[in-house]
């Protein structure tokens, strides 16, 4: 009897989850059901899913009964039956939020070229314009920063969002990606997908960022391994 009931429950879950199959890659609203040491269980109405630790926003508080938006990442099938995997910490979640705030993405005036994210800390998003005269960064930031603020309201103010201009010139793209640091010059090794980035002493810590975060995200965004090197600042000769 136990085995039959167990099989029935699994079959029911399969039917319910099959309905979510075509929702993979979208964001839905849910209610926090239970908070466990490694996962947060979220009720989605017809089904429930889990946000594993590596898909959570670092430092975010999940109160039982609170309403949250979640990205449907995958349906995982293992010996315990099918499981809906949810995320708030991946890049696609941020992309979805921007798509809600920036209608110009839908009409093709601007586009997102890449996102690198460390959830709860920092996100770098590279944007470009496909229409003449459109400022892509201004479009994403919004008047008085309203658009970027709406995204931050959802993911939390502790996460910094850098919106940078994409550039087909990889040297310029790397310079943009390492913003807010000012870069003196970039030497690219196309074959090894590496770049030596030269900065003055006062810009070095900005380029690297706290615990290497700025250079790490810029590397992921550009697809190049970036080595930050200090350039000697010329000493003024006494008159």
């Amino acid at each position: 009897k136990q085995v039959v009931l167990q099989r029935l429950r699994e079959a029911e879950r399969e039917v319910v989850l099959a309905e979510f199959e075509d929702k993979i890659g979208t964001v839905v609203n849910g209610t926090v059901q239970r908070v466990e040491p490694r996962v947060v269980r979220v009720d989605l109405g017809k089904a429930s899913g889990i946000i594993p630790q590596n898909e959570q926003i670092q430092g975010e508080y999940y109160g039982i009964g609170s309403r949250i938006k979640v990205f449907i990442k995958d349906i995982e099938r293992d010996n315990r039956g099918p499981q809906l995997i949810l995320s708030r910490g991946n890049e696609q979640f941020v992309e979805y939020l921007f798509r809600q705030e920036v209608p110009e993405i839908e009409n093709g005036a601007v586009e997102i070229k890449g996102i690198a994210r460390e959830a709860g800390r920092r996100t770098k998003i590279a944007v470009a314009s496909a229409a003449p005269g459109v400022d892509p960064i201004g479009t994403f930031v919004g008047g008085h920063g309203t658009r970027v603020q709406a995204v931050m309201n959802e993911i939390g103010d502790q996460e910094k969002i850098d919106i940078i201009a994409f550039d087909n010139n990889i040297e310029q793209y790397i310079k943009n990606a390492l913003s807010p640091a000012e870069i003196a010059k970039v030497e690219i090794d196309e074959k090894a997908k590496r770049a030596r980035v030269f900065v003055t002493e006062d810009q070095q810590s900005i380029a690297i960022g706290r615990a290497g975060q700025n250079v790490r995200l810029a590397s992921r965004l550009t697809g190049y391994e970036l080595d930050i090197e200090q350039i000697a600042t010329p000493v003024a000769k006494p008159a």
Side-chain angles (χ1 to χ4, degrees):
K1 189 179 170 185
Q2 283 299 112
V3 172
V4 170
L5 282 172
Q6 174 73 17
R7 292 276 182 270
L8 269 172
R9 272 199 298 270
E10 278 178 19
E12 277 174 7
R13 265 172 74 187
E14 273 289 1
V15 170
V16 168
L17 290 187
E19 289 183 34
F20 279 87
E21 202 94 53
D22 59 353
K23 286 197 173 85
I24 290 174
T26 65
V27 170
V28 295
N29 289 310
T31 309
V32 177
Q33 208 172 26
R34 212 160 72 229
V35 179
E36 296 170 13
R38 298 192 68 79
V39 299
V40 174
R41 297 194 178 273
V42 180
D43 178 19
L44 302 174
K46 276 187 171 178
S48 66
I50 60 165
I51 313 177
Q53 203 167 24
N54 62 336
E55 297 294 344
Q56 293 169 23
I57 294 175
Q58 201 176 350
E60 186 169 55
Y61 171 73
Y62 299 99
I64 291 168
S66 60
R67 299 275 293 162
I68 57 169
K69 282 188 169 79
V70 288
F71 180 87
I72 298 178
K73 191 177 180 188
D74 202 4
I75 294 174
E76 209 172 74
R77 289 178 169 83
D78 58 19
N79 48 16
R80 288 169 305 177
Q83 184 80 266
L84 210 51
I85 307 296
L86 311 172
S87 178
R88 278 177 63 80
N90 64 354
E91 279 90 357
Q92 292 97 313
F93 185 57
V94 168
E95 182 174 341
Y96 181 91
L97 295 174
F98 269 109
R99 284 185 181 279
Q100 300 305 296
E101 297 300 324
V102 185
E104 291 86 347
I105 298 174
E106 288 309 309
N107 64 32
V110 292
E111 58 181 319
I112 295 171
K113 288 288 197 176
I115 300 177
R117 183 178 189 209
E118 288 186 5
R121 293 188 173 171
R122 195 171 195 167
T123 288
K124 279 184 185 283
I125 174 166
V127 300
S129 157
V134 175
D135 165 23
I137 294 176
T139 303
F140 275 81
V141 171
H144 304 295
T146 49
R147 290 174 171 183
V148 75
Q149 192 54 55
V151 173
M152 286 173 79
N153 288 347
E154 182 57 50
I155 62 174
D157 285 342
Q158 77 282 3
E159 188 168 330
K160 194 175 183 304
I161 298 177
D162 296 344
I163 299 173
I164 66 141
F166 173 79
D167 204 297
N168 285 316
N169 177 326
I170 191 64
E171 196 176 314
Q172 189 56 49
Y173 188 30
I174 288 169
K175 285 181 178 179
N176 295 353
L178 283 164
S179 131
E182 288 169 26
I183 310 303
K185 69 168 178 167
V186 179
E187 287 178 2
I188 290 165
D189 181 343
E190 189 63 57
K191 214 166 163 189
K193 280 277 190 248
R194 284 185 90 94
R196 291 170 74 197
V197 179
F198 295 92
V199 293
T200 54
E201 188 182 356
D202 63 328
Q203 293 296 309
Q204 190 171 18
S205 61
I206 302 169
I208 293 167
R210 187 181 295 171
Q213 189 183 57
N214 196 48
V215 69
R216 199 165 52 242
L217 287 172
S219 273
R220 276 178 29 207
L221 195 61
T222 58
Y224 279 73
E225 194 65 46
L226 305 177
D227 301 315
I228 308 290
E229 297 183 25
Q230 192 180 313
I231 202 168
T233 33
V235 180
K237 288 181 182 151

